[in-house]
Amino acid sequence: LGINELLYFRVISPEEIGYIFSAAPAKDFGGDFTSFYDEIFLVPADPADGCSDLEDREVIQGQVILVERGGCSFVQKTRHVEEAGGKAVLIADNAVDNDSQYLDMITDGSAAIPSIPALFLLGRDG
């Protein structure tokens, strides 16, 4: 992906939330989306903000984790998902009326930079 390019993903099950979503990758941390994430689960984080150690690590293992924005930095959220075994993280904006403004997810200055892919999801889609 180039700068300011979006990534698209499709939820196919359950059908009631089936949709093609767009999301913006982190600017200067996290890994690249270099493969298909076929037949993978989107697992809500617990705690939802991802600002502390995540529960249910056995469910998180190898999956894409949905985290709510707010409470701590994007890097901290991504690092907690990575430490719990998640394959990637989707960070949903907490402004539910946001339907067009993608945020630039940048490092917070910490030394431990996560290596899993991270995406920012618009509030209307979170």
Side-chain angles (χ1 to χ4, degrees):
L1 293 176
I3 294 176
N4 297 324
E5 286 189 57
L6 299 178
L7 187 116
Y8 297 88
F9 64 97
R10 185 175 84 173
V11 173
I12 56 173
S13 178
E15 288 182 19
E16 58 269 12
I17 65 167
Y19 187 74
I20 296 176
F21 296 89
S22 60
K27 276 222 181 277
D28 60 359
F29 69 90
D32 294 326
F33 286 89
T34 57
S35 64
F36 283 94
Y37 293 84
D38 197 22
E39 307 244 348
I40 196 165
F41 293 99
L42 179 61
V43 178
D46 180 16
D49 66 7
C51 290
S52 59
D53 290 341
L54 299 181
E55 303 293 323
D56 298 327
R57 288 179 177 240
E58 64 281 350
V59 175
I60 290 171
Q61 210 51 236
Q63 306 303 324
V64 175
I65 310 307
L66 179 65
V67 175
E68 294 176 0
R69 180 180 169 215
C72 62
S73 75
F74 295 123
V75 169
Q76 287 175 301
K77 293 172 186 299
T78 306
R79 196 168 53 240
H80 284 129
V81 168
E82 183 173 48
E83 289 169 356
K87 191 169 191 168
V89 62
L90 282 174
I91 300 173
D93 194 356
N94 54 0
V96 294
D97 58 343
N98 179 12
D99 64 357
S100 63
Q101 184 63 45
Y102 290 95
L103 295 181
D104 289 338
M105 295 194 307
I106 58 172
T107 60
D108 60 4
S110 59
I113 303 298
S115 61
I116 63 169
L119 289 172
F120 181 79
L121 188 63
L122 293 174
R124 68 158 189 234
D125 295 333

